[in-house]
Amino acid sequence: MHFTVSKGVLQKGLQKVVGVIPTKTTIPILENVLLDLQGEKLKITGTDLEICISTDISVNGTLDGSCAVPARSLNEILRELPELPLDIQLEDGNKITIKTQNGLYRLGSQPKEEFPSIVLEDSEGQLDIDAGLLSRMINKTVFAVSTDELRATLMAVYFQFSAEELRCVATDGHRLVKIINYQVKSPDFHKDVIVPTKALSLILKNIETIEDPEKINVNLSIGENHIIFNMQDTLIYSKLIEGQYPKYENVIPIDNDKKLTVDKTELSAAVRRVSIFSNSFTHQIRFAVDGTKMKISSEDVEYGGEGNEVINVKYDADSLEVAYNGVYVIDLLKHIDTDEVNFLLKDSVSAAIVTPSTQKEKEDLMMLIMPIRLSED
Amino acid sequence: MIIKRLLMGLLRRFAPRNDRKFPKLGVIVQTLISYKNYSTNKIDFRIHTLIKNRVKILPEDLTNKIAAGEVVDRPASIVKELVENAIDAGSDEIFILLKNGGKTLIQVVDNGTGMSREDAILAIQRHTTSKISNYDDLHNIKTLGFRGEALASIASVSRMELKTITNEKDAGSLIKIEGGTIDDVIDTGGARGTSVAVKNLFYNTPARRKFLKTDETEYRHILSFIQRFTLSCFDVSFTVYHNDQKIYDVKPADPEIRLVDVLGGRYKNNLVTVEDKGTVLQIWGFVGKQDTAKKSRGDQFLFLNGRYIVNRALNHAVISSFGTIIPRGEFPLYALFLEIDPRRIDVNVHPSKMEVKFADERLIYNLLRAAVKRALSSEQVIPSLSPQIGVTPQPISMSKEDFLAQQTAIPLYETAPRTQKFPGLDIPQPQLPEKKQAIQMPPSDEKFERANIWQINNQYILSEIKSGLIIIDQHVAHERILYEKALKDFEISNPASQQLLFPHVTELTPDEYSYLTDILPFLEKIGFVIKGFGGNTVVIEGVPSGMKISSPETILNEIIDEFKQNRSSSLDIRDNVAKSYSCKMAIKKGEPLTLEEMNNLIDQLFATQSPYFCPHGRPVIINLSIEELDKRFGRI
């Protein structure tokens, strides 16, 4: 293997892959990236065995070949080097040298055969979605996933492909987000899959590097046990999470008839301030809504802190008092794009539906938040 | 002929009746009749010989062997009897020589009062003792031995040499006994005292010999007896040899020094003195500090009027007074001496005298427990790293003085009230003033240099403080926080319950269900919302707010399980629920924490009443001072 490439191009390619490299692994080969040169195309691949990312960059190739090199060392030297042409060559099958005008760096390498290869099963369906839209669907849901490693199915976003729509759902059991896009249709196949959070955040990272995501198509290819996101020169493969996603439709309330409309910015700011004085365990804040006023309050019995603010709201049902985890409220509000936010309420122990005051075209965004039950005193 | 007629009369009278009480009489009479042909003058009338093949009066040597079975069941019990005798004789120097775990030789040499020849010969017979003389004495026992059977029992199953000298000017006696029979008595000279050598134990009782364990095992048993003596007779020196190797050589010493001598350096500066002089019961002695507790039993000694006893209830009294600061499955050292009017106890329960009956066990239990608790509450120790490098073993944790010195050195702990109760004790009732105190807990100078905080192995949190660094175990730290929070939650009616989007239905066993009904009110106070779903099935609709709960049903099961297991201990129900809950809910080791989470944990930890120990008594914080580091690096 022998090629020359500019430092910037190689670094940019490596950046796309390096995120998947596990920081702690019992399998040392996973700390490597696979370099595979064919003609003028260098494929850089990294994997943690669940997710695999590979990206192609253009190089000036003189001799085809491949090897696996330590990702961290390669990344570090590239970071320290100025923008220079690099001459990279595999020597004796177990070393690669990186030559610059003034320098020579040698890295241990391993043969390609040592590097795990992903066996691709047949895909059951394909669909194209623009990168901007995909990014939006993921961004709106991924914040609400569970961080609990014991519940793998909730550490993921539920993708539902159907002829009418694409639906993404995330929940951690306390809150839930559902976003439907009616533009993205897959008439040929219906499939529900659970995609792990790590893969999604890698996709987001990759899309961020794209200048005009709305103009780039991402090709999704879904198999029995895997999903592949293919965009431009990069391919992200992820195993799907096996298991049953909770039957979320059943918990979406249909009889929440108390509608509360609030200015999102005002509410968000008030909640942030009041939350500072909430209990650091529960982050509990209270909404006490009565007519056109809502009092947001918190109290930390243990440390003696408390705070409250009153804001103007639109509300015409019976007065109601309900408590939430302030962190969840702030999270939800972050993902509302409109100036006003709607809360559909029922009582102090049931889920509240949170929606933007107006939906985006061909989209339906809905969030659920479970209250913290108030004492009966 | 008169006699024959008489006998025939007897026969008629007894034989046909086949008397149940005297079945033999008929036989006897018939036998007598058969003598009719002999001269009436010379009938041999030894009825004894006739019945001896059935019931017989045991010859003395045999009764001694049987009795020996009770008193002397293994070499260790011989050592015990002989040392007791030596102590009762007022010795202050005792030598013990052992060979092959005592099987070949046990010799106990003392410098006590000795015995006159007559006394010595008498002593080898059973139920001879100089220690009591009448029944009343039996209820007023102050010496260790009293039953008067030991020497005779031992002598009957071994070859024994008893040498005793009462006065250096007069001739002493050397008595050789084989299998309980005196072989020889000769004059001897030497220093005052008694020496009993027991050789070839059980040489004449092969069955019993077979039951002896290996030399090592027997030796260990002997050692544990000797240990008890060394821990109760501080003014006696003990020298012990086994197979010509010196095992113990302890000189008369202060109890505390003796204890460390015998039980090891780990207890140096790690003993808490217990003292309580009541009218009924006088208690004194030592308990080990919590971080010297061992996973195995063995360092627990209870002496009643100088005699080592085993008593489950009193053992429990001591262990339970440690409350939660000693984890389950670990056992603190204690060596406690109880003095009580001998009339209030009965030690004559079993020949080994290790069991004692108390006239009022409950009272003794409570007094003992209170005394130990009081002693413990005067101490509060932060476990610190033990310098295990280096030659001299050093105390594992600081003495009280060191601790107080350190307290002034580290501002972090300065505000901790010195009169604060022992961690883990008496917390279940939080009081308002204490809550206030909790609010004031983290004043500005207690703050960590928060930039420097790390998580190690996803298990420990390391943070720099002014005087060095502290290491916090994340699981037990969280456990402590949750535990105290649960106890507070029980008091206030303000449970914060995060409602679940997906209620969890779980089926319990009838057993679990019944426990759940017991603890449900408490779980609700913590924030669980659990409802019946028919049968033993329940549905969990809410969980304590702010908790990361993957599987509420598993947590519930675990809490019930833990509660069940702890039930037998003396915990009250709320304490038990709080413990079970905190243990199961706390973040586990291996969980990565963000900087914010770590900061939060530390803040909350130091707001608790006893941040240094988890509810089970394990240390939460280890403190590594700069001084300590300097020491390790050989700077000072």
Side-chain angles (χ1 to χ4, degrees):
Chain A
M1 185 181 72
H2 191 187
F3 61 91
T4 55
V5 63
S6 84
K7 174 251 179 178
V9 172
L10 183 59
Q11 189 178 22
K12 204 176 161 202
L14 189 63
Q15 289 297 340
K16 293 187 176 176
V17 172
V18 85
V20 75
I21 308 285
T23 46
K24 280 179 194 165
T25 173
T26 50
I27 310 167
I29 190 71
L30 299 184
E31 291 165 2
N32 292 270
V33 286
L34 182 69
L35 304 180
D36 195 343
L37 177 68
Q38 275 178 348
E40 303 288 290
K41 202 172 75 176
L42 180 75
K43 190 184 277 291
I44 308 170
T45 307
T47 182
D48 67 356
L49 295 180
E50 300 290 318
I51 299 163
C52 178
I53 305 182
S54 66
T55 190
D56 293 339
I57 56 170
S58 297
V59 298
N60 202 350
T62 45
L63 179 66
D64 285 359
S66 60
C67 69
V69 295
R72 187 186 290 178
S73 305
L74 186 60
N75 200 26
E76 279 172 9
I77 184 64
L78 292 178
R79 201 167 56 210
E80 297 303 328
L81 284 170
E83 182 59 41
L84 277 172
L86 306 174
D87 180 280
I88 296 174
Q89 186 172 6
L90 178 65
E91 280 181 354
D92 312 332
N94 61 6
K95 276 190 191 74
I96 67 163
T97 54
I98 304 170
K99 271 187 247 172
T100 66
Q101 211 171 353
N102 308 317
L104 185 147
Y105 316 96
R106 202 168 260 134
L107 268 174
S109 74
Q110 297 190 61
K112 181 187 181 181
E113 293 68 38
E114 299 286 316
F115 200 80
S117 54
I118 305 285
V119 182
L120 289 183
E121 311 121 48
D122 294 340
S123 106
E124 294 176 3
Q126 298 216 355
L127 121 123
D128 283 346
I129 174 172
D130 86 64
L133 189 54
L134 178 63
S135 168
R136 180 178 168 84
M137 301 281 283
I138 296 173
N139 261 322
K140 289 273 181 257
T141 46
V142 81
F143 76 93
V145 302
S146 169
T147 53
D148 191 335
E149 292 185 16
L150 296 173
R151 300 178 79 182
T153 52
L154 296 191
M155 282 184 73
V157 174
Y158 191 45
F159 280 74
Q160 295 184 290
F161 300 95
S162 71
E164 297 80 33
E165 62 188 40
L166 170 63
R167 193 184 274 228
C168 291
V169 180
T171 181
D172 64 358
H174 302 161
R175 57 202 164 147
L176 180 143
V177 187
K178 181 186 76 172
I179 181 167
I180 304 172
N181 190 295
Y182 299 105
Q183 236 173 308
V184 185
K185 299 176 180 178
S186 34
D188 308 329
F189 74 105
H190 298 245
K191 196 154 174 70
D192 302 337
V193 298
I194 307 172
V195 185
T197 309
K198 186 179 175 185
L200 297 173
S201 51
L202 288 166
I203 290 160
L204 286 180
K205 239 178 104 185
N206 264 288
I207 295 176
E208 275 167 26
T209 66
I210 299 170
E211 269 180 30
D212 233 341
E214 281 74 26
K215 291 180 183 157
I216 304 294
N217 261 347
V218 181
N219 177 265
L220 270 58
S221 164
I222 297 112
E224 177 63 35
N225 300 312
H226 75 270
I227 184 165
I228 296 167
F229 298 83
N230 199 342
M231 58 189 117
Q232 287 181 316
D233 304 319
T234 307
L235 187 139
I236 299 175
Y237 162 99
S238 173
K239 284 188 182 163
L240 296 173
I241 291 174
E242 287 174 30
Q244 185 72 44
Y245 202 78
K247 300 219 177 306
Y248 69 91
E249 290 93 346
N250 300 346
V251 303
I252 298 173
I254 45 168
D255 51 353
N256 282 14
D257 51 5
K258 296 175 179 157
K259 187 175 171 187
L260 169 74
T261 306
V262 204
D263 183 277
K264 186 198 74 178
T265 319
E266 205 178 327
L267 175 64
S268 180
V271 170
R272 280 166 196 275
R273 286 188 289 266
V274 170
S275 285
I276 295 169
F277 302 95
S278 69
N279 181 296
S280 59
F281 253 111
T282 65
H283 306 288
Q284 178 179 319
I285 54 160
R286 286 187 187 215
F287 288 177
V289 57
D290 191 2
T292 57
K293 301 277 177 201
M294 178 161 80
K295 184 172 158 191
I296 304 155
S297 64
S298 69
E299 185 186 4
D300 186 348
V301 181
E302 277 157 61
Y303 294 90
E306 62 174 280
N308 75 74
E309 277 189 35
V310 179
I311 59 172
N312 291 316
V313 296
K314 291 174 199 158
Y315 184 74
D316 53 13
D318 295 342
S319 65
L320 180 66
E321 193 167 0
V322 58
Y324 296 107
N325 181 328
V327 176
Y328 293 166
V329 176
I330 294 167
D331 266 359
L332 294 185
L333 293 178
K334 263 188 223 165
H335 292 91
I336 298 285
D337 304 323
T338 52
D339 292 340
E340 282 190 328
V341 56
N342 290 335
F343 283 75
L344 286 176
L345 305 166
K346 186 184 174 198
D347 54 35
S348 65
V349 294
S350 309
I353 295 173
V354 184
T355 57
S357 56
T358 50
Q359 293 289 358
K360 221 179 152 213
E361 194 188 345
K362 304 221 170 182
E363 187 184 80
D364 186 8
L365 175 65
M366 186 222 70
M367 310 187 186
L368 284 187
I369 178 170
M370 286 304 283
I372 294 174
R373 187 186 165 109
L374 295 171
S375 53
E376 280 106 17
D377 54 2
Chain B
M1 288 315 286
I2 296 161
I3 290 171
K4 185 184 172 187
R5 210 177 297 141
L6 179 70
L7 288 169
M8 292 301 284
L10 276 170
L11 184 64
R12 272 197 297 276
R13 194 167 159 77
F14 289 108
R17 283 174 55 180
N18 197 14
D19 192 294
R20 271 194 203 155
K21 267 189 191 159
F22 307 101
K24 293 288 172 290
L25 267 177
V27 183
I28 294 167
V29 172
Q30 269 180 336
T31 314
L32 283 175
I33 292 167
S34 68
Y35 285 123
K36 67 184 190 301
N37 295 331
Y38 290 89
S39 150
T40 52
N41 297 337
K42 289 191 179 175
I43 291 179
D44 189 349
F45 236 119
R46 286 164 65 181
I47 296 178
H48 225 98
T49 62
L50 295 171
I51 60 170
K52 92 171 168 190
N53 56 350
R54 292 302 175 103
V55 177
K56 60 186 173 184
I57 292 167
L58 295 174
E60 196 179 356
D61 67 315
L62 192 60
T63 55
N64 273 346
K65 279 184 206 166
I66 292 169
E70 262 188 279
V71 184
V72 184
D73 57 349
R74 62 193 329 163
S77 42
I78 293 175
V79 174
K80 172 177 176 282
E81 296 294 341
L82 296 180
V83 175
E84 276 185 358
N85 282 347
I87 291 166
D88 286 345
S91 321
D92 59 15
E93 278 176 39
I94 297 177
F95 288 86
I96 302 167
L97 298 165
L98 305 165
K99 282 213 165 86
N100 302 330
K103 289 178 190 171
T104 317
L105 173 71
I106 296 167
Q107 186 170 10
V108 176
V109 184
D110 67 47
N111 64 347
T113 52
M115 289 179 280
S116 69
R117 181 164 302 183
E118 296 72 33
D119 282 353
I121 291 172
L122 258 175
I124 295 161
Q125 291 162 30
R126 202 147 65 98
H127 293 310
T128 57
T129 181
S130 58
K131 296 170 189 174
I132 56 171
S133 51
N134 57 47
Y135 182 75
D136 284 346
D137 284 348
L138 197 56
H139 291 281
N140 201 2
I141 291 162
K142 286 182 173 134
T143 49
L144 296 173
F146 60 87
R147 289 167 63 112
E149 53 191 8
L151 263 186
S153 301
I154 299 165
S156 68
V157 292
S158 67
R159 296 192 170 91
M160 183 191 277
E161 276 184 27
L162 173 70
K163 180 179 161 185
T164 181
I165 295 154
T166 50
N167 185 326
E168 278 153 45
K169 286 166 211 152
D170 300 335
S173 322
L174 174 64
I175 307 169
K176 295 184 175 176
I177 310 117
E178 192 156 333
T181 324
I182 296 177
D183 252 13
D184 206 359
V185 182
I186 48 175
D187 284 352
T188 185
R192 193 185 80 146
T194 303
S195 155
V196 182
V198 178
K199 297 172 186 169
N200 303 76
L201 184 63
F202 298 140
Y203 79 99
N204 52 352
T205 50
R208 190 160 278 280
R209 198 168 61 233
K210 271 188 220 156
F211 281 100
L212 286 178
K213 300 283 191 294
T214 62
D215 291 0
E216 268 310 302
T217 310
E218 296 299 342
Y219 167 63
R220 273 201 302 277
H221 279 280
I222 294 174
L223 270 193
S224 69
F225 275 110
I226 293 175
Q227 217 177 37
R228 292 168 199 164
F229 285 116
T230 60
L231 293 182
S232 57
C233 306
F234 302 103
D235 45 4
V236 179
S237 75
F238 289 88
T239 315
V240 183
Y241 285 88
H242 181 232
N243 294 343
D244 297 327
Q245 268 196 312
K246 196 187 263 184
I247 305 301
Y248 272 121
D249 187 6
V250 289
K251 300 282 169 246
D254 279 349
E256 195 166 350
I257 296 167
R258 171 67 68 85
L259 231 123
V260 174
D261 271 359
V262 174
L263 297 174
R266 64 191 267 116
Y267 295 120
K268 199 176 172 189
N269 295 335
N270 271 324
L271 297 172
V272 178
T273 310
V274 179
E275 194 159 5
D276 187 54
K277 301 259 184 257
T279 46
V280 181
L281 180 70
Q282 277 123 56
I283 303 166
W284 72 277
F286 304 93
V287 293
K289 287 182 186 167
Q290 59 278 10
D291 48 355
T292 61
K294 290 182 177 175
K295 289 251 189 272
S296 56
R297 289 188 180 85
D299 288 351
Q300 289 76 39
F301 303 92
L302 199 58
F303 298 93
L304 180 67
N305 294 347
R307 178 183 292 115
Y308 176 81
I309 59 161
V310 174
N311 185 300
R312 287 176 66 104
L314 296 189
N315 176 60
H316 186 263
V318 181
I319 303 281
S320 67
S321 54
F322 275 84
T324 57
I325 63 158
I326 301 260
R328 232 175 335 140
E330 286 191 21
F331 306 94
L333 161 105
Y334 65 80
L336 293 168
F337 300 84
L338 314 183
E339 302 287 338
I340 193 168
D341 185 338
R343 281 168 302 193
R344 285 175 162 269
I345 54 173
D346 181 7
V347 285
N348 196 14
V349 178
H350 186 268
S352 72
K353 300 171 200 143
M354 294 220 293
E355 285 173 43
V356 178
K357 275 188 188 152
F358 291 92
D360 186 355
E361 189 166 274
R362 197 75 220 160
L363 176 69
I364 308 290
Y365 178 98
N366 290 334
L367 288 173
L368 181 60
R369 198 180 140 137
V372 177
K373 262 194 162 181
R374 203 160 36 244
L376 288 172
S377 65
S378 67
E379 300 269 341
Q380 186 183 0
V381 185
I382 314 162
S384 101
L385 281 185
S386 66
Q388 275 144 358
I389 321 163
V391 200
T392 41
Q394 294 255 330
I396 285 176
S397 85
M398 292 173 274
S399 71
K400 194 177 176 188
E401 289 72 28
D402 288 346
F403 169 67
L404 290 177
Q406 185 125 4
Q407 269 194 324
T408 42
I410 309 175
L412 177 64
Y413 308 126
E414 201 169 271
T415 48
R418 297 210 177 137
T419 50
Q420 194 176 348
K421 293 230 164 150
F422 206 53
L425 296 178
D426 298 337
I427 316 169
Q429 316 289 340
Q431 291 136 22
L432 272 162
E434 286 177 358
K435 243 189 251 168
K436 284 247 173 63
Q437 180 193 83
I439 296 159
Q440 299 159 353
M441 263 309 262
S444 56
D445 63 338
E446 267 189 7
K447 282 256 163 73
F448 294 96
E449 320 232 339
R450 282 300 167 75
N452 300 324
I453 181 164
W454 304 272
Q455 192 186 22
I456 297 169
N457 200 27
N458 290 340
Q459 185 178 6
Y460 298 107
I461 298 167
L462 209 82
S463 187
E464 187 177 358
I465 54 173
K466 277 182 188 158
S467 67
L469 58 90
I470 55 166
I471 306 166
I472 296 172
D473 181 322
Q474 63 185 43
H475 171 71
V476 289
H478 199 205
E479 206 173 329
R480 165 53 70 185
I481 296 165
L482 292 178
Y483 172 73
E484 291 197 7
K485 184 173 184 302
L487 291 176
K488 276 184 195 146
D489 285 349
F490 292 158
E491 300 306 315
I492 52 173
S493 63
N494 184 19
S497 174
Q498 172 67 55
Q499 302 298 291
L500 297 173
L501 259 175
F502 307 98
H504 290 256
V505 179
T506 178
E507 196 184 335
L508 303 172
T509 66
D511 189 41
E512 286 169 339
Y513 190 82
S514 78
Y515 283 115
L516 177 63
T517 50
D518 284 352
I519 63 175
L520 189 60
F522 296 99
L523 292 182
E524 279 173 347
K525 286 267 186 184
I526 304 172
F528 282 98
V529 178
I530 301 168
K531 289 177 181 163
F533 207 63
N536 294 318
T537 306
V538 295
V539 54
I540 307 166
E541 291 183 349
V543 294
S545 174
M547 291 295 133
K548 209 166 146 184
I549 300 179
S550 345
S551 165
E553 61 270 29
T554 315
I555 287 284
L556 181 66
N557 269 316
E558 284 177 352
I559 292 173
I560 293 173
D561 217 48
E562 183 80 13
F563 175 80
K564 210 163 98 181
Q565 272 178 26
N566 295 344
R567 181 180 36 114
S568 48
S569 59
S570 60
L571 298 173
D572 73 11
I573 182 162
R574 60 180 59 223
D575 202 25
N576 190 348
V577 174
K579 263 185 199 151
S580 307
Y581 161 79
S582 60
C583 176
K584 294 303 166 194
M585 292 288 270
I587 45 171
K588 303 283 185 296
K589 69 172 189 180
E591 250 177 78
L593 300 179
T594 63
L595 197 64
E596 197 198 335
E597 285 173 317
M598 288 192 274
N599 277 326
N600 224 332
L601 194 75
I602 295 175
D603 278 346
Q604 289 170 349
L605 178 64
F606 281 103
T608 62
Q609 291 178 23
S610 324
Y612 304 118
F613 297 96
C614 86
H616 297 103
R618 277 186 289 177
V620 174
I621 304 168
I622 286 177
N623 180 31
L624 187 59
S625 65
I626 296 289
E627 197 187 7
E628 177 71 51
L629 290 169
D630 284 346
K631 242 185 249 169
R632 282 179 179 236
F633 284 107
R635 287 173 175 271
I636 51 170

